[in-house]
Amino acid sequence: MIATSAVSLATRINLLTHLINAVGKIDDGEGCIIIYGAHEPQPTVWPSPLDAQQIISRFRELPEMEQTQRLFNQESYMIQRVQKSHKQAEKFQRINRLTDMEIQMHQCMAGLSSLQNAPLNDITEMGRLAEQNMQDIMARMEELEKNRATTLQMGGTSSSPPRDDAAGLSFRN
């Protein structure tokens, strides 16, 4: 049992040293680790006892406000992670809901499904989605028309519509 926990502790220490090293490179900062093992007579210190002592001394020289800004504990870290995960889950739920509505709307337009048994809130949401899509299309059309007008005013030529090489037909409606 002690051998297993020693291996586990060594693995955690190795992971922590890599994390502190990576964070130091990203934030252009430095950090140290001091771990007291239950079965170890001396703490494990990284990068070295002298370096750790210098880092801690520089940290203690900072004003108290800066010291507390840089400190975090496991509880606050976990709370932040849970909050971030919760926000991501809500975002993905919204995206999935919109995707489901778009699929259902396309199936209705293709005649593959009906809205007869759909809940009222789904129908309302599809109406909002269709309205938003129409607004997006209109905004894009206006943007394209402005770009075309600007090109013509600057002495450029209007680009001809795309053509099908075989038939010579325009794809524009």
Side-chain angles (χ1 to χ4, degrees), residues 68-112:
T68 56
Q69 286 177 344
R70 295 171 187 233
L71 287 178
F72 75 96
N73 60 27
Q74 188 68 23
E75 181 182 4
S76 63
Y77 173 75
M78 292 306 294
I79 289 170
Q80 289 174 356
R81 296 295 302 159
V82 167
Q83 289 172 341
K84 183 177 180 181
S85 297
H86 184 69
K87 286 180 183 178
Q88 276 186 318
E90 287 175 344
K91 177 184 172 186
F92 287 133
Q93 285 174 344
R94 279 193 310 273
I95 290 170
N96 287 341
R97 174 82 173 139
L98 287 175
T99 303
D100 289 345
M101 289 292 109
E102 284 181 350
I103 290 169
Q104 189 172 3
M105 191 167 53
H106 287 288
Q107 287 176 343
C108 288
M109 290 189 299
L112 301 173

Side-chain angles (χ1 to χ4, degrees), residues 4-160:
T4 305
S5 63
V7 170
S8 179
L9 178 63
T11 303
R12 289 183 187 142
I13 290 171
N14 191 23
L15 176 64
L16 282 172
T17 57
H18 286 295
L19 287 173
I20 293 295
N21 196 17
V23 169
K25 288 178 182 175
I26 291 170
D27 290 339
D28 197 27
E30 54 189 352
C32 63
I33 302 171
I34 303 172
I35 300 175
Y36 292 90
H39 305 289
E40 300 290 325
Q42 294 292 320
T44 302
V45 181
W46 183 87
S48 70
L50 181 60
D51 290 338
Q53 188 176 20
Q54 290 173 350
I55 291 169
I56 291 170
S57 294
R58 282 194 298 275
F59 178 75
R60 288 186 176 157
E61 290 172 0
L62 294 173
E64 187 175 335
M65 184 67 161
E66 284 188 48
Q67 287 183 21
T68 56
Q69 286 177 344
R70 295 171 187 233
L71 287 178
F72 75 96
N73 60 27
Q74 188 68 23
E75 181 182 4
S76 63
Y77 173 75
M78 292 306 294
I79 289 170
Q80 289 174 356
R81 296 295 302 159
V82 167
Q83 289 172 341
K84 183 177 180 181
S85 297
H86 184 69
K87 286 180 183 178
Q88 276 186 318
E90 287 175 344
K91 177 184 172 186
F92 287 133
Q93 285 174 344
R94 279 193 310 273
I95 290 170
N96 287 341
R97 174 82 173 139
L98 287 175
T99 303
D100 289 345
M101 289 292 109
E102 284 181 350
I103 290 169
Q104 189 172 3
M105 191 167 53
H106 287 288
Q107 287 176 343
C108 288
M109 290 189 299
L112 301 173
S113 123
S114 170
L115 293 177
Q116 288 178 345
N117 296 327
L120 182 60
N121 63 337
D122 284 1
I123 295 170
T124 305
E125 187 67 29
M126 276 191 259
R128 282 192 209 119
L129 184 59
E131 182 64 32
Q132 182 62 49
N133 286 344
M134 288 299 296
Q135 288 175 0
D136 292 347
I137 290 168
M138 296 302 290
R140 179 67 177 142
M141 288 173 62
E142 287 175 16
E143 180 183 331
L144 290 172
E145 189 59 37
K146 285 179 186 176
N147 288 344
R148 183 172 175 255
T150 302
T151 301
L152 289 174
Q153 285 176 354
M154 294 175 62
T157 58
S158 173
S159 62
S160 59

